[in-house]
Amino acid sequence: MSNKPFKILSIDGGGIRGIYPAKILSNLEEKLKSSGKDITDLNKYFDLICGTSTGGIIALGLALGMSSERILKLYSENANLIFGKKSSWIEAIFKPFYKSTSLEGLLRKEFSKFTQNGDTRLGHSKTRVCIPVYDGYNGKVSVLKTSHHKDLKRDYQYPAHDVALSTSSAPLFFKPHSFTYRVNNEAIDIEKLNFIDGGVFANNPTLIGILEALGTLNISLNDLKILSIGTGTHMYKEESTRNTWGAWYWGNPINKQIIDLMFSSQADDIANTVKFLNQGVGDSGKEQFYYKRLQFEFTEHDEPIGLDETDPKKLKKLMHKADLEFKKTGPEIFREFCSTLITPYKPVYNL
């Protein structure tokens, strides 16, 4: 590695609310164009991109070479395709709310454009990538990675769309994702079973990015620059003590309290952990590295926007929130992350 800062982009999970980070990043690309930059691909400005669930889809798209504007259109134009037909609450007792068929077809089609034969793998990424998943078959957490270290010999062979589907197979919403792939240049088919949304343990993957930089790539903490983008949070709050705290309260198809509690609490915990790692207790400590967290909380006056929202008006509100955030922080983000290109990424193992 050179003496340049090591720049990390981290994108939270959040279903269709991925529109928020996609819009912010689309605005960043537009600023690159308007400023006269010849290169506007964000994978040329970030040394490592981490993404969980919907953030994993965005991370993979960016790393392969997809524009944020294109990713944004995929979300805004296909919400009804992905979340259109929902299981009834009775059906949801026995099966997920949605089938992943439409999302799989969409991702396979888009990612196939980045290789001549259409067989796009994680290893075709043009910068380093970390994607959290839960390995349900083996019962352990996992982070799927590009081959940016000599010991990372396996994950880069995984089909890109299968990696995206694996990290976004949220409990209740989609079934765990299983797939078969062929090892490059070998007549060997390998089956992977029951990968589950990485949001169950790392909905905010910022800390994963930091540990990857420090532990795997031997980057100094002081050399890090981190842009972490959330997808909005419904912080779980309950003032009543008269509720019946059973399965219907936590998991009914309308409110899905358990999802809000699980995803928002651990994402918030990671944000606090990174802040503590950066400057210690309180807000007056000296910062060890540059860290910018873009996130918003839905207030009691906001209409709820679920992970599976399809109402165009509500989706436009997400874009509006992103525009407001970028108007406030865009110049700083552009200065810190887009002033210089990264040192070109060269994987240890090639496809």
Side-chain angles (χ1 to χ4, degrees):
M1 300 298 297
S2 69
N3 293 324
K4 290 182 178 179
F6 188 86
K7 296 181 289 186
I8 300 173
L9 171 62
S10 174
I11 310 170
D12 285 18
I16 200 64
R17 298 204 304 258
I19 282 177
Y20 178 77
K23 179 58 173 169
I24 287 175
L25 295 171
S26 179
N27 288 346
L28 184 58
E29 284 180 354
E30 184 59 36
K31 189 169 180 61
L32 281 165
K33 293 176 185 177
S34 64
S35 66
K37 295 281 188 179
D38 294 329
I39 298 176
T40 59
D41 291 343
L42 291 181
N43 58 41
K44 298 295 190 295
Y45 293 93
F46 290 95
D47 296 280
L48 172 64
I49 305 179
C50 305
T52 301
S53 194
T54 195
I57 294 174
I58 297 171
L60 284 164
L62 293 175
L64 290 170
M66 190 180 298
S67 71
S68 298
E69 182 181 9
R70 177 59 184 162
I71 295 170
L72 179 61
K73 285 185 178 180
L74 290 179
Y75 276 86
S76 59
E77 294 176 358
N78 292 282
N80 277 305
L81 179 67
I82 300 169
F83 298 115
K85 188 176 181 181
K86 188 174 185 178
S87 300
S88 69
W89 67 268
I90 295 177
E91 293 174 319
I93 296 174
F94 304 101
K95 63 181 183 180
F97 296 142
Y98 303 101
K99 293 182 178 180
S100 58
T101 309
S102 296
L103 179 59
E104 179 173 3
L106 187 65
L107 293 174
R108 187 190 294 269
K109 177 183 176 182
E110 291 298 322
F111 289 172
S112 69
K113 299 174 182 177
F114 295 96
T115 50
Q116 289 185 341
N117 63 0
D119 183 21
T120 306
R121 308 289 183 102
L122 176 58
H124 287 113
S125 299
K126 297 175 179 65
T127 192
R128 302 167 190 82
V129 174
C130 285
I131 306 292
V133 300
Y134 184 84
D135 183 344
Y137 181 80
N138 292 299
K140 62 181 183 180
V141 299
S142 183
V143 180
L144 306 183
K145 306 175 184 180
T146 46
S147 62
H148 49 260
H149 186 277
K150 63 181 178 61
D151 292 331
L152 301 177
K153 304 176 181 179
R154 179 195 61 194
D155 303 346
Y156 79 100
Q157 298 266 8
Y158 292 172
H161 73 276
D162 285 315
V163 174
L165 287 164
S166 295
T167 192
S168 56
S169 293
L172 298 180
F173 291 91
F174 297 110
K175 68 178 182 179
H177 185 62
S178 301
F179 62 94
T180 301
Y181 73 100
R182 175 157 290 193
V183 176
N184 193 43
N185 298 323
E186 297 181 26
I188 302 174
D189 288 330
I190 297 179
E191 188 176 36
K192 307 301 294 185
L193 300 175
N194 295 338
F195 278 169
I196 297 170
D197 194 318
V200 300
F201 73 95
N203 201 53
N204 174 353
T206 305
L207 190 58
I208 285 175
I210 293 174
L211 295 176
E212 192 68 13
L214 301 183
T216 303
L217 298 168
N218 295 317
I219 306 299
S220 169
L221 185 67
N222 301 109
D223 290 333
L224 298 183
K225 282 191 174 185
I226 302 168
L227 175 60
S228 175
I229 310 179
T231 57
T233 178
H234 287 286
M235 291 304 295
Y236 171 77
K237 298 176 183 179
E238 180 59 79
E239 297 178 355
S240 173
T241 59
R242 297 190 298 272
N243 281 301
T244 53
W245 302 86
W248 180 254
Y249 172 82
W250 288 110
N252 78 78
I254 298 174
N255 292 323
K256 299 180 284 295
Q257 302 276 26
I258 190 66
I259 297 295
D260 280 343
L261 172 61
M262 180 173 63
F263 283 6
S264 64
S265 61
Q266 57 97 342
D268 194 44
D269 176 61
I270 293 300
N272 289 335
T273 299
V274 174
K275 182 176 178 292
F276 179 81
L277 179 65
N278 190 21
Q279 61 184 115
V281 179
D283 296 317
S284 59
K286 180 181 178 181
E287 293 186 350
Q288 302 298 306
F289 54 89
Y290 179 87
Y291 169 58
K292 193 69 173 181
R293 173 73 171 164
L294 307 184
Q295 177 66 303
F296 70 93
E297 182 176 348
F298 291 98
T299 70
E300 60 184 16
H301 304 294
D302 289 323
E303 287 187 274
I305 301 179
L307 306 184
D308 55 351
E309 185 60 69
T310 59
D311 184 345
K313 292 182 179 179
K314 292 185 179 182
L315 301 187
K316 285 183 179 179
K317 287 184 178 180
L318 286 172
M319 294 190 214
H320 179 63
K321 287 180 179 292
D323 284 336
L324 290 177
E325 179 61 59
F326 192 79
K327 184 177 181 180
K328 180 175 63 175
T329 59
E332 177 185 348
I333 294 169
F334 183 83
R335 182 181 67 250
E336 296 293 338
F337 293 95
C338 298
S339 296
T340 59
L341 298 171
I342 63 170
T343 300
Y345 164 60
K346 295 181 180 180
V348 178
Y349 305 105
N350 293 297
L351 292 164

